[in-house]
Amino acid sequence: MLTRLDKYVLKNFLATFFFLLLAFSAIAIVIDFTEKINDFVKKKVPVGEILLYFRDFLPYILALLFPVFIFVAVIFFTSRLANRSEVIAMLCSGMSFKRFLRPYFIGAAIISFILLIANHYIIPVANKGRLRFEEKYLWDKAYSYSDNFHMRISPTEYIYMQSYNPESRLGYRFSYEKMEGTLMKQQITAERCEYDSINKLWKLSEVVVHTNDSLRESMKRYPTYSTVFNFAPGDIVERREGKQMMTTPVLNAFIKRELEKGSENLNEYFIEKHRRTAAPFSSFVLSIIGACIASRKVRGGSGIHLAVGLMISAVYIFLMQFTTMFSMKGSLHPMLSVWIPNMLFTILAGYIYKKYSS
């Protein structure tokens, strides 16, 4: 059961948090509108579409800084309680420091649950509208995967393309291989390939076809050669930030398909998958740290607490970016890359809690 004191602390916690969300929403919209106003005017974007864009933009930017908001909210209102000697009164009445933190855990649980559901299901849907708007009005062009593209299109078929232009739908240095165990049954190489979207087939130029039935091998050359392959330009062209538009079930299905194709460099998708759960968990850790730091009355008041809080938030964000980049460019496991900051800050939270509760 929540006591009157729990409700008082919880009310202040949630009210401060949502006030920060509203305040930052207005600031974020003004800043983003200022940056993009030239594009809006140049491309004559309808007002209705701009309003829908900002509706979808807000969930994205707020979720990005959700842990920082909860941290600053905890420090801000707890510092006010400490400066008014309310924390001292609570502890002097016989309340343990652990009991004092109970409403913080409840508040963090409520906020974390909201962020968890939003990360997995709501924000990806909002990102669809945001990214489609940016693709239509703000981006210059689509782009393809990096050069030297490899893909398995069936359990026995593989393709390679040195480069691909998504605008002209032209690929260069194309190779197709059909395997049977360790035997290459067929290989088709071409200097250039072009996709025919009407007939759903690939047109190859300067083609060499090798066939091998284990007893006899043949090679034929063709100036042009048309055939059907089990892939389309959409499998090569990569949507910018496409992973952000997928709900978690869709993202899991996408990762499974790419693994079956033999695709590499999927770390960014694994990172996105694990980040959606790791970010809400950080609310608990940062709430404990913030409550412990701000519960002591210090000279300088809330300003000192907020300065320390912002510094710790900056370290958390930097650490998250560092481990994520190390995973994408190095060999760090994607799950570890998003959970290492939480692990380190959990240790820090335990140390601070032990120090302040004694």
Side-chain angles (χ1 to χ4, degrees):
M1 296 293 294
L2 290 177
T3 65
R4 181 176 297 179
L5 187 59
D6 291 330
K7 293 178 182 178
Y8 172 72
V9 175
L10 184 59
K11 178 183 176 181
N12 278 275
F13 181 3
L14 296 179
T16 305
F17 173 75
F18 286 111
F19 173 78
L20 285 175
L21 284 187
L22 291 175
F24 184 81
S25 297
I27 296 172
I29 289 176
V30 170
I31 293 175
D32 196 60
F33 180 79
T34 303
E35 290 180 349
K36 296 182 173 66
I37 188 171
N38 289 333
D39 294 314
F40 294 159
V41 174
K42 180 180 179 181
K43 298 186 179 180
K44 299 179 181 179
V45 184
V47 176
E49 292 198 35
I50 294 176
L51 295 176
L52 291 176
Y53 164 73
F54 283 112
R55 181 201 65 183
D56 296 329
F57 169 77
L58 277 179
Y60 161 73
I61 193 65
L62 293 180
L64 194 65
L65 298 174
F66 222 77
V68 177
F69 290 145
I70 193 171
F71 193 40
V72 173
V74 168
I75 287 181
F76 182 75
F77 91 86
T78 305
S79 179
R80 289 178 58 196
L81 295 180
N83 289 333
R84 295 198 298 255
S85 300
E86 294 181 62
V87 176
I88 295 176
M90 296 177 196
L91 299 179
C92 289
S93 67
M95 177 185 290
S96 66
F97 194 76
K98 180 179 179 181
R99 175 64 181 81
F100 167 72
L101 292 177
R102 188 169 80 168
Y104 290 88
F105 277 104
I106 296 173
I110 294 172
I111 295 173
S112 296
F113 180 75
I114 295 173
L115 179 58
L116 187 67
I117 298 300
N119 274 350
H120 286 284
Y121 298 101
I122 299 173
I123 294 174
V125 175
N127 281 337
K128 286 184 180 180
R130 177 180 66 86
L131 292 170
R132 285 171 181 168
F133 178 92
E134 292 179 354
E135 184 178 24
K136 182 177 180 181
Y137 294 110
L138 305 179
W139 295 346
D140 293 330
K141 61 181 180 180
Y143 69 102
S144 65
Y145 285 101
S146 58
D147 292 343
N148 299 316
F149 171 75
H150 298 261
M151 185 174 73
R152 183 172 66 176
I153 58 177
S154 80
T156 59
E157 297 174 292
Y158 302 83
I159 63 164
Y160 162 80
M161 204 176 297
Q162 186 181 72
S163 62
Y164 181 77
N165 188 323
E167 294 184 330
S168 62
R169 297 187 178 184
L170 289 175
Y172 299 90
R173 302 292 191 276
F174 173 83
S175 175
Y176 162 84
E177 297 175 354
K178 184 174 183 179
M179 305 295 296
E180 186 176 287
T182 58
L183 177 66
M184 183 183 295
K185 296 287 292 183
Q186 185 182 44
Q187 182 187 48
I188 301 175
T189 59
E191 287 297 309
R192 192 179 71 176
C193 61
E194 180 180 3
Y195 186 69
D196 184 346
S197 59
I198 297 177
N199 298 312
K200 307 297 183 184
L201 51 81
W202 288 89
K203 296 181 178 180
L204 310 181
S205 303
E206 300 180 44
V207 184
V208 178
V209 179
H210 295 265
T211 57
N212 184 3
D213 60 3
S214 73
L215 297 177
R216 185 172 52 186
E217 183 176 354
S218 63
M219 181 183 74
K220 295 182 179 180
R221 295 181 180 273
Y222 302 93
T224 60
Y225 188 89
S226 298
T227 186
V228 176
F229 293 117
N230 189 29
F231 78 102
D235 298 317
I236 302 174
V237 176
E238 180 181 29
R239 290 184 68 93
R240 294 186 180 184
E241 305 298 336
K243 60 185 179 297
Q244 295 185 13
M245 298 189 294
M246 304 177 191
T247 61
T248 298
V250 175
L251 181 61
N252 288 334
F254 173 82
I255 292 174
K256 182 180 179 181
R257 288 197 304 270
E258 292 300 307
L259 290 175
E260 290 174 351
K261 292 178 182 178
S263 300
E264 300 177 351
N265 300 323
L266 295 175
N267 275 12
E268 60 181 305
Y269 295 95
F270 283 108
I271 289 172
E272 174 67 19
K273 173 184 173 181
H274 297 304
R275 182 198 62 79
R276 296 178 180 183
T277 302
F281 177 80
S282 66
S283 300
F284 288 97
V285 178
L286 295 176
S287 294
I288 296 173
I289 296 175
C292 292
I293 291 175
S295 63
R296 294 288 180 89
K297 189 174 183 180
V298 296
R299 183 177 298 177
S302 301
I304 299 298
H305 291 149
L306 286 174
V308 173
L310 291 174
M311 183 179 67
I312 294 177
S313 300
V315 172
Y316 179 84
I317 294 174
F318 171 78
L319 188 59
M320 178 66 77
Q321 293 297 324
F322 176 78
T323 54
T324 299
M325 188 59 62
F326 197 79
S327 176
M328 295 180 64
K329 303 298 182 181
S331 57
L332 182 63
H333 193 280
M335 180 180 288
L336 283 177
S337 70
V338 296
W339 281 99
I340 282 177
N342 285 340
M343 294 175 185
L344 294 178
F345 272 70
T346 299
I347 296 173
L348 176 62
Y351 169 76
I352 293 176
Y353 169 78
K354 184 176 179 181
K355 178 180 178 181
Y356 279 75
S357 61
S358 58

